[in-house]
Amino acid sequence: MDAMEKLVSVAKRRGFIFPSSEIYGGLNGCWDYGPLGVELKRNVKEAWWQDMIGHHDDTIRTGDAPAPFSMVGLDSSILMNPRVWEASGHVGGFADPMVDCRETRNRYRADQLVVFGVVSADAGDSSVDSAELLFASPGEIGATPEAALVAPHRKRLAKIAKALGEHRIVPVPDALLDETLRAKTLAPGATEAGTLTAPRAFNLMFKTHVGALEDNSSVAYLRPETAQGIFVNFKNVCDTSRVKIPFGIGQVGKAFRNEINPRNFTFRSREFEQMEIEFFCRAEEAEAWYRYWRDRRYQWYVDLGLDTAKLRLREHDADELAHYAAACADVEYEFPFGVSELEGIANRTDFDLRQHTEHSGKDLRYFDDQEPDKDKRRYLPHVIEPSAGADRATLAFLCAAYSEDEVGGEARTVLKLHPRLAPIKAAVFPLVKKDGMPERALALYRELRAGLTTFYDEKGAIGRRYRRHDEAGTPFCVTIDGDTMREETVTVRERDTCEQVRVPMSGVLDHITERMKD
Ligand code: GAP
């Protein structure tokens, strides 16, 4: 099993993540979080909310912030007036180029299907065009292992390779746009070449109808991002919450995208959750705030346990930027399936508020009573947008936490989750089911439960109980034993080091709370 297969297996086995509607064969791109998974994902969202909004102090300059600022929250609806999506550009432009295979009926994102030829080792790249047969496989030359590219065409490629002797695989860029090259291309799983269609734009928004009539007048969309709910409420928030620029509005919620090719477990799903901030500031200060949010968001992942060796902050080149964006950076993580985006931080200028002003006819300018120049007091603020995915962050934390080691000569799987994220913070065990130990353990369990997510477990040998909780990511296991009955002390075992310390029974909560801060 490769690293990702092991993670998917432990996620299923321990009740973190299940395929959606599994008893009916599942639904591609949709996932359900089980008892442990729901706690983990809630902790990810809660950590984001507390760190970004709930615990933010707007009376002082915090960290490297250019100035003090305010943060407030919002929970807008998933269904909105469809004109929101015309203004935002999603109706006209939120599309991926897709390619269909007429034989296998599979659909691919054109930019995620690589076309390659096989040439003899000493041939130049130009000889590819005259290759008899080209091959299409999901992936990217250089990033996808050659074995994975070759896998859908193994038999045919083996024959060609035999005839050619020493050979190499050469990409054929833009082959899908060229009718002649497409005709020579063998799709994954197809028996004949030429079954792929030319790329066509495919809008990613899920359409539905509101009300009894299913006609054009009742069309609505499931939101593809939470951000627009914030922009359309900008005036409401300014009018009701006394926030002054600079300030941010944060929102956590579901988003839906009809992804052509959902893949890599929960990484690219059709239903997922976003954690987005729209941060409003003066145009001349936008660059400084952009840098602040970019660095702060990167650090958030580090603080919660992602290794900096696997985390990157990638600034977009000018030709990668959306037409309205002044700057954009991605926080990327090295997942087992490759380096991929966790979060994007963009300087969106005043694009969104300007679009909504034009489309709604409402004046969304901010009145800045701190501005000394009277003529400059009304303006559209600029926006910095840190946009994160709760499911992607959860997956990254799970990947980073997964580890295998040996304890006392026995192999164990352990999820080294940051204590803030761990679904269960403490497990309480009686060493044996007699001598009053279960009663003492239950009393402690009930006491801890009031302040921490705690689990009581009396089933099986003590070693097996430790293993179960290592795999669930529980950072502390508390055992009631014979000494507890004599001395009122318990052992607290730490998950990662397996170190055990004796702690007075009355001090367990304080001990764990203190250790969780380490
Ligand atoms: N408002 C900007 C926006 O939505 P995005 O880059 O399209 O930007 C932001 O999405 C974040 O949402 C991504 O970095 C990712 O974490 C998450 N996300 C986007 N599409 C996703 C999908 N299909 N499955 C899971 N997460 C997704």
Side-chain angles (χ1 to χ4, degrees), residues 225 227 257 259 266-269 272 274 276 341-344 385 387-389 392:
E225 60 172 21
R257 295 183 190 177
E259 297 283 358
T266 56
F267 179 83
R268 192 175 300 288
S269 313
F272 54 97
Q274 290 188 312
E276 296 200 290
E341 175 190 328
L342 266 185
E343 168 162 356
E385 178 193 67
S387 173
R392 273 195 199 171

Side-chain angles (χ1 to χ4, degrees), residues 34-291:
L36 289 181
V38 68
E39 295 291 344
L40 171 62
K41 191 169 152 194
R42 275 169 59 96
N43 291 342
V44 170
K45 293 185 286 182
E46 193 54 31
W48 183 91
W49 190 272
Q50 282 174 1
D51 296 347
M52 299 300 124
I53 299 168
H55 292 173
H56 175 71
D57 183 347
D58 57 4
T59 63
I60 48 162
R61 198 168 77 85
T62 43
D64 296 329
F69 61 95
S70 303
M71 292 298 293
V72 292
L74 183 80
D75 185 4
S76 68
S77 59
I78 286 171
L79 296 174
M80 291 194 264
N81 189 309
R83 291 177 60 209
V84 169
W85 307 110
E86 284 164 26
S88 68
H90 285 82
V91 169
F94 193 53
D96 277 340
M98 55 137 216
V99 163
D100 285 311
C101 173
R102 283 185 287 257
E103 185 184 332
T104 63
R105 305 227 163 268
N106 282 332
R107 175 167 280 184
Y108 306 95
R109 246 173 77 171
D111 58 342
Q112 291 171 359
L113 199 62
V114 62
V115 177
F116 58 91
V118 180
V119 295
S120 67
D122 49 3
D125 282 1
S126 55
S127 59
V128 172
D129 285 9
S130 60
E132 272 179 21
L133 194 58
L134 301 176
F135 300 88
S137 292
E140 203 186 319
I141 291 211
T144 312
E146 201 171 292
L149 291 177
V150 164
H153 310 287
R154 200 175 286 116
K155 279 194 188 148
R156 290 245 191 144
L157 277 164
K159 269 192 207 159
I160 295 173
K162 216 176 192 180
L164 281 176
E166 280 279 297
H167 66 278
R168 61 198 172 94
I169 279 179
V170 189
V172 185
D174 295 334
L176 295 170
L177 300 172
D178 181 316
E179 212 176 316
T180 320
L181 293 179
R182 247 189 358 261
K184 288 189 195 176
T185 303
L186 190 66
T191 52
E192 280 176 37
T195 57
L196 290 173
T197 63
R200 280 179 291 149
F202 173 78
N203 195 296
L204 298 185
M205 281 199 295
F206 280 101
K207 233 185 213 179
T208 186
H209 292 271
V210 170
L213 281 181
E214 287 204 7
D215 60 16
N216 280 345
S217 68
S218 65
V219 163
Y221 301 95
L222 301 190
R223 67 179 177 202
E225 60 172 21
T226 58
Q228 298 303 323
I230 299 180
F231 291 124
V232 299
N233 277 293
F234 172 70
K235 201 168 153 34
N236 283 338
V237 173
C238 288
D239 292 349
T240 56
S241 64
R242 303 199 335 193
V243 282
K244 296 255 181 259
I245 267 178
F247 71 91
I249 306 176
Q251 164 154 241
V252 177
K254 289 267 184 181
F256 303 83
R257 295 183 190 177
N258 199 0
E259 297 283 358
I260 294 164
N261 197 4
R263 66 203 169 116
N264 292 332
F265 203 20
T266 56
F267 179 83
R268 192 175 300 288
S269 313
R270 289 190 165 129
E271 176 176 341
F272 54 97
E273 274 185 280
Q274 290 188 312
M275 310 183 289
E276 296 200 290
I277 295 169
E278 305 303 327
F279 188 80
F280 302 93
C281 61
R282 292 186 186 88
E284 59 276 19
E285 291 165 4
E287 217 179 295
W289 283 111
Y290 165 72
R291 283 196 299 273

Side-chain angles (χ1 to χ4, degrees), residues 390-440:
D391 305 82
R392 273 195 199 171
T394 303
L395 183 61
F397 291 127
L398 269 176
C399 290
Y402 184 95
S403 91
E404 290 169 357
D405 59 15
E406 230 179 60
V407 175
E410 210 187 297
R412 73 162 181 165
T413 299
V414 51
L415 289 186
K416 296 183 174 178
L417 289 164
H418 189 287
R420 276 183 85 190
L421 303 182
I424 300 168
K425 312 296 183 207
V428 179
F429 310 148
L431 183 64
V432 288
K433 274 200 278 180
K434 56 183 184 182
D435 302 335
M437 289 183 207
E439 290 74 13
R440 298 304 298 272

Side-chain angles (χ1 to χ4, degrees), residues 335-354:
F335 289 94
F337 48 81
V339 175
S340 289
E341 175 190 328
L342 266 185
E343 168 162 356
I345 300 99
N347 175 348
R348 297 180 65 97
T349 64
D350 61 358
F351 173 78
D352 304 273
L353 289 179
R354 190 170 292 285

